[in-house]
Amino acid sequence: MLVDSPPEQRAETAPAPPSRRAIRTIGLLVSVGVLLLVALASIAIGAKALPLDQVWHGLFHDSGTYADVVVGDRISRTVLGLLVGAALGLSGAVLQALTRNPLADPGLLGINAGASAAVVTAITYFGVTSLSGYVWFAFFGAAAVGALVWFLGGSRGATPVRLALAGTAISAALYGYLQAVMIMDDAALGKMRFWTVGSLASATDSTIEQVAPFLGVGALVALALARPLNAMAMGDDTARALGANLNRTRALSMAAATVLCGAATAACGPIVFVGLMVPHAVRSFTGPDLRWILPYATVLSPVLLLGADVLGRMIARPAELQVGIVTAVLGGPVFIFLVRRRRTAQL
């Protein structure tokens, strides 16, 4: 005759449910796997269709054939997409935490526009033609606009609404300036069109070598800010009680976002909404802990950027649709949805 175990014994022998930490870790590993698949798709799929055997040959041989050259260009493009996507996702997540505004990203706060306007000015009025020159002008423009938005938003008393309004106003003014320059200078129109749209098509090994150090430093600083930004999310008084240096954290956060966004814009022009969409999607799974949001954003933002780039190559063959246009088309409806959801939650 079978006798049931007492409830206490059944509870002791029952397998423990997986911890939230284990689930997050598994999710991060799965995200890395998805990123690898998208990166392979970025190399295999392009505006010019190539058989998979030629793509494979181009990956592991260097015979100088047309297919090998095309695959080599796609590899540079994919690597740059990985770096720029991670930079945009990280900067967006940091700015959202800093401003306590889930609708913030470098594009919405004007940092992209500042970097782009500075680069266009360098091209048109100073005759700068090298990427090394673009990077420094992009940094200056991003830093100037970031500081101006922070000042107009109230500095230490800044609120999310003030920052968003200041960023929107400055972005509108700068994009008006860009349009005016384009109208007045036909010779520079072709070069400036790259900066006003955003594209990975001009990626080269030299581009990657010049921006990678800046992106690496910015990423390390951003990831190191996870704990103090977590403390700031609980309020300034609580953060001080936990030992967080608020002024230093704010300054480093703005500096990290500026470096990441400035280098990304110098490399491929302004690309919006990547830093907005990915942290939102990540937060619904990880919760508000930035120790998980930042790594997830680092991995999944390149998935979105490279996926949009592949989509742009496929839908406009034999030409291609620039990735900045694709992300804007995808991000617009998402932004409207997020705004409406926040408004509904507040009612």
Side-chain angles (χ1 to χ4, degrees):
M1 183 176 179
L2 297 176
V3 179
D4 289 340
S5 304
E8 294 81 2
Q9 184 176 350
R10 289 201 300 270
E12 292 176 357
T13 58
S19 67
R20 188 170 180 82
R21 181 184 181 87
I23 294 174
R24 289 169 172 171
T25 302
I26 293 172
L28 189 58
L29 294 175
V30 171
S31 299
V32 172
V34 173
L35 177 59
L36 292 176
L37 292 177
V38 174
L40 291 175
S42 178
I43 297 172
I45 301 172
K48 173 66 176 179
L50 290 177
L52 289 179
D53 60 332
Q54 293 188 29
V55 174
W56 180 266
H57 186 275
L59 282 172
F60 299 102
H61 300 83
D62 187 18
S63 61
T65 65
Y66 173 78
D68 297 339
V69 172
V70 171
V71 172
D73 291 340
R74 290 182 187 175
I75 292 174
S76 298
R77 184 171 184 160
T78 300
V79 172
L80 184 63
L82 291 172
L83 295 175
V84 169
L88 295 175
L90 270 176
S91 60
V94 167
L95 287 175
Q96 289 177 14
L98 176 66
T99 62
R100 300 174 193 170
N101 180 5
L103 301 181
D105 86 329
L108 294 175
L109 292 184
I111 296 178
N112 272 344
S116 182
V119 171
V120 168
T121 300
I123 293 172
T124 306
Y125 297 111
F126 297 100
V128 178
T129 58
S130 66
L131 178 66
S132 58
Y134 295 163
V135 169
W136 294 111
F137 274 90
F139 284 159
F140 173 79
V145 170
L148 184 58
V149 168
W150 189 254
F151 173 76
L152 294 178
S155 300
R156 296 184 181 182
T159 65
V161 173
R162 288 180 178 178
L163 290 172
L165 290 175
T168 301
I170 293 173
S171 294
L174 289 176
Y175 282 122
Y177 163 76
L178 292 177
Q179 294 299 319
V181 173
M182 290 172 62
I183 292 173
M184 293 187 297
D185 191 350
D186 293 336
L189 178 60
K191 294 181 179 179
M192 291 190 296
R193 191 166 48 191
F194 169 79
W195 298 103
T196 58
V197 175
S199 172
L200 296 173
S202 299
T204 63
D205 292 341
S206 175
T207 303
I208 296 169
E209 291 172 359
Q210 292 188 61
V211 301
F214 299 101
L215 296 177
V217 171
L220 290 175
V221 173
L223 291 170
L225 292 170
R227 288 184 181 274
L229 286 174
N230 273 343
M232 288 179 60
M234 294 183 286
D236 290 354
D237 293 337
T238 303
R240 290 191 188 93
L242 293 174
N245 187 321
L246 302 185
N247 292 333
R248 183 177 63 187
T249 300
R250 291 189 179 109
L252 288 176
S253 297
M254 288 297 295
T258 297
V259 170
L260 291 169
C261 183
T265 304
C268 57
I271 298 176
V272 298
F273 286 122
V274 173
L276 170 66
M277 291 187 284
V278 175
H280 266 284
V282 166
R283 195 176 290 109
S284 63
F285 175 73
T286 64
D289 191 347
L290 284 160
R291 292 175 299 177
W292 290 101
I293 291 176
L294 295 180
Y296 266 93
T298 304
V299 174
L300 291 179
S301 295
V303 171
L304 173 60
L305 186 63
L306 288 177
D309 190 41
V310 171
L311 181 62
R313 291 183 242 171
M314 294 177 62
I315 63 179
R317 284 177 172 173
E320 65 178 70
L321 195 63
Q322 304 300 332
V323 67
I325 297 175
V326 179
T327 57
V329 171
L330 295 175
V334 173
F335 181 65
I336 294 173
F337 168 76
L338 294 173
V339 171
R340 289 183 59 85
R341 190 177 66 174
R342 279 178 57 82
R343 181 179 179 183
T344 302
Q346 292 172 356
L347 293 178

